[in-house]
Amino acid sequence: MKLEKKFKTAFAEKLLTWYHKNKRDLPWRKTSDPYKIWVSEVMLQQTQVDQVIPYYHKFIEKFPDLRSLAEAPLSQVLKVWEGLGYYARARNLKSAAEKIVAEHNAVMPATHDELIKVPGIGPYTAAAIASIAYNEDYPVVDGNVYRVIARLMRIEEAPGKKGTKTRFVQTARSLMPEGKASDFNQAMMELGALVCTPNRPKCRLCPVSFFCQAYQTLDDPSVLPIKEPTKQKPHYNVAIGIIWKGGKILIDQRPEEGLLGGLWEFPGGKQEPGETLEECLEREVREEMDIQIRVQGPFLTIPHTYSHFKITLHSFQCQHVEGEPRPKKAINWKWVSPREINRYAFPQANKKILDALLETL
Ligand code: SF4
């Protein structure tokens, strides 16, 4: 998309002036360390700023540089990430750090083209690090920027349509003034977060309303961007056991690849048609761990939503009856005392059950 030079200059000037006056005081904005910017960008994918801030501090305190992250056991990284969700982000971050330490002498690659070659760093993250840390002229289109551009240029294309993503990146590129990628990208994201919000954008306070086609021509700019029709997520009932043996509880570790990879959990699984939750739990533990248990009673039930499905997680207090665990899929298992159980990283829904359990003990 070709834009008039005058339009581009005036737009950037308005946007950047607003940004310098209004930007939030965020911890990753106080550093030019590409490693820290990388960590923040990965955390901010799929997670709100307020939730990220304490995790960012904790993560940087524990792993202040590439080498400390690369050398830490994955279990430690997952423990610090515990509760932030989308755990593949933590695994990719760590494996990419290992590669950079091994192949780049622990120095972050300094260009987009080098960054993108590191397994674990995708196109969005490479563009974000290259532009924010190194001021390389690369546009970054996250959800906020996508929304701003859709409204600004009145783009009425469905997000799933072929070429839509490229069109947004090209538009962002055409708006970007040379040599100002770091501030410009952050300003676009900030405008989307603070002013051009999903519902009820604050158009009257918007520094770029003069340039905005949605504001100039639509009654309600918030109808853009066009949204994908929401699909109904499938729902499953899952039964898990707090299985006791001599004052200790059985936990197992999920395989490193796949959903919640590398995290620890209480054994259990999905309910099949025609079985009770108690039957489901006994069957799952028999099939998955090769042990016999006695289900004693329900403990806590909580709903939980993943990106592609929903579950109701039913937990039960159980007693071990016989057998040494021989897991089918889990890569590790342990009998742990309540005192030591918090050393292990659990997925969010299991963690809620664990916290409730520790409170009752
Ligand atoms: Fe968004 Fe309104 Fe600004 Fe347009 S004028 S960019 S719709 S806040």
Side-chain angles (χ1 to χ4, degrees):
M1 172 178 281
K2 277 237 177 313
L3 287 175
E4 292 263 354
K5 199 170 171 217
K6 254 188 177 164
F7 175 103
K8 188 170 157 172
T9 314
F11 173 82
E13 225 175 81
K14 286 272 184 208
L15 178 71
L16 291 173
T17 308
W18 170 84
Y19 175 64
H20 291 304
K21 272 195 204 146
N22 295 282
K23 66 179 169 182
R24 286 167 294 176
D25 183 21
L26 301 174
W28 45 89
R29 292 206 172 129
K30 295 187 180 124
T31 180
S32 55
D33 180 342
Y35 165 72
K36 293 179 183 160
I37 289 168
W38 177 30
V39 171
S40 72
E41 278 301 324
V42 173
M43 287 185 168
L44 287 164
Q45 288 164 29
Q46 291 143 322
T47 311
Q48 300 290 321
V49 165
D50 293 351
Q51 203 196 340
V52 164
I53 292 172
Y55 278 92
Y56 172 82
H57 284 306
K58 203 162 54 157
F59 197 93
I60 295 298
E61 196 183 304
K62 191 89 184 157
F63 313 114
D65 50 32
L66 274 164
R67 208 176 278 282
S68 54
L69 176 60
E71 287 170 2
L74 178 63
S75 58
Q76 215 177 78
V77 179
L78 290 173
K79 184 66 198 165
V80 176
W81 203 273
E82 187 184 51
L84 200 56
Y86 298 97
Y87 296 89
R89 295 182 296 178
R91 293 197 303 274
N92 287 339
L93 198 56
K94 170 159 169 59
S95 73
E98 286 168 7
K99 290 269 169 5
I100 297 170
V101 167
E103 292 165 21
H104 298 265
N105 201 19
V107 178
M108 282 289 285
T111 65
H112 171 272
D113 293 355
E114 286 299 310
L115 285 160
I116 196 109
K117 284 185 203 153
V118 180
I121 297 186
Y124 172 85
T125 313
I129 304 169
S131 62
I132 296 172
Y134 299 117
N135 206 25
E136 193 179 343
D137 285 341
Y138 257 90
V140 172
V141 181
D142 68 352
N144 284 326
V145 178
Y146 187 90
R147 188 168 57 252
V148 171
I149 289 176
R151 293 173 182 172
L152 207 57
M153 298 301 176
R154 197 174 160 177
I155 299 177
E156 298 179 24
E157 275 171 25
K161 196 176 150 203
K162 199 169 168 242
T164 300
K165 214 169 156 191
T166 314
R167 184 168 173 204
F168 275 78
V169 173
Q170 282 169 350
T171 308
R173 189 187 292 275
S174 67
L175 285 166
M176 180 185 280
E178 258 173 58
K180 293 189 177 158
S182 181
D183 280 349
F184 181 83
N185 281 339
Q186 292 185 82
M188 288 287 274
M189 294 188 217
E190 199 73 338
L191 187 73
L194 301 181
V195 179
C196 194
T197 46
N199 304 312
R200 295 201 212 156
K202 303 172 188 74
C203 299
R204 284 173 195 278
L205 301 175
C206 177
V208 294
S209 59
F210 177 76
F211 307 90
C212 178
Q213 293 191 30
Y215 179 59
Q216 305 290 346
T217 61
L218 295 175
D219 289 340
D220 177 11
S222 75
V223 294
L224 292 177
I226 304 285
K227 292 162 197 81
E228 286 277 35
T230 43
K231 284 191 203 138
Q232 193 74 23
K233 292 182 180 181
H235 170 266
Y236 307 105
N237 277 308
V238 174
I240 57 169
I242 303 160
I243 304 168
W244 291 91
K245 181 187 166 191
K248 293 193 168 181
I249 303 165
L250 181 63
I251 56 173
D252 66 78
Q253 190 178 22
R254 295 175 68 92
E256 283 192 2
E257 295 308 317
L259 182 74
L260 311 174
L263 293 172
W264 291 81
E265 62 185 8
F266 298 110
K270 248 188 260 173
Q271 186 182 33
E272 299 284 353
E275 66 183 358
T276 65
L277 288 164
E278 288 84 349
E279 286 164 352
C280 155
L281 182 53
E282 285 179 1
R283 174 188 55 75
E284 282 286 345
V285 172
R286 194 171 56 246
E287 287 173 4
E288 296 298 324
M289 303 300 283
D290 202 15
I291 59 170
Q292 300 286 337
I293 58 165
R294 188 170 50 249
V295 178
Q296 293 177 309
F299 179 62
L300 184 67
T301 295
I302 48 169
H304 192 75
T305 303
Y306 292 97
S307 51
H308 294 98
F309 60 94
K310 292 178 188 179
I311 61 165
T312 305
L313 192 63
H314 307 264
S315 63
F316 291 84
Q317 294 277 11
C318 307
Q319 194 61 43
H320 173 256
V321 175
E322 66 174 9
E324 181 77 352
R326 285 189 302 167
K328 202 156 119 192
K329 291 196 200 118
I331 53 171
N332 203 351
W333 60 272
K334 278 182 196 303
W335 291 103
V336 290
S337 67
R339 190 189 289 259
E340 60 189 356
I341 199 166
N342 252 334
R343 286 189 211 147
Y344 300 87
F346 284 80
Q348 228 164 354
N350 269 247
K351 180 79 169 96
K352 282 185 191 159
I353 287 166
L354 175 61
D355 289 345
L357 175 72
L358 293 178
E359 220 164 275
T360 62
L361 293 177

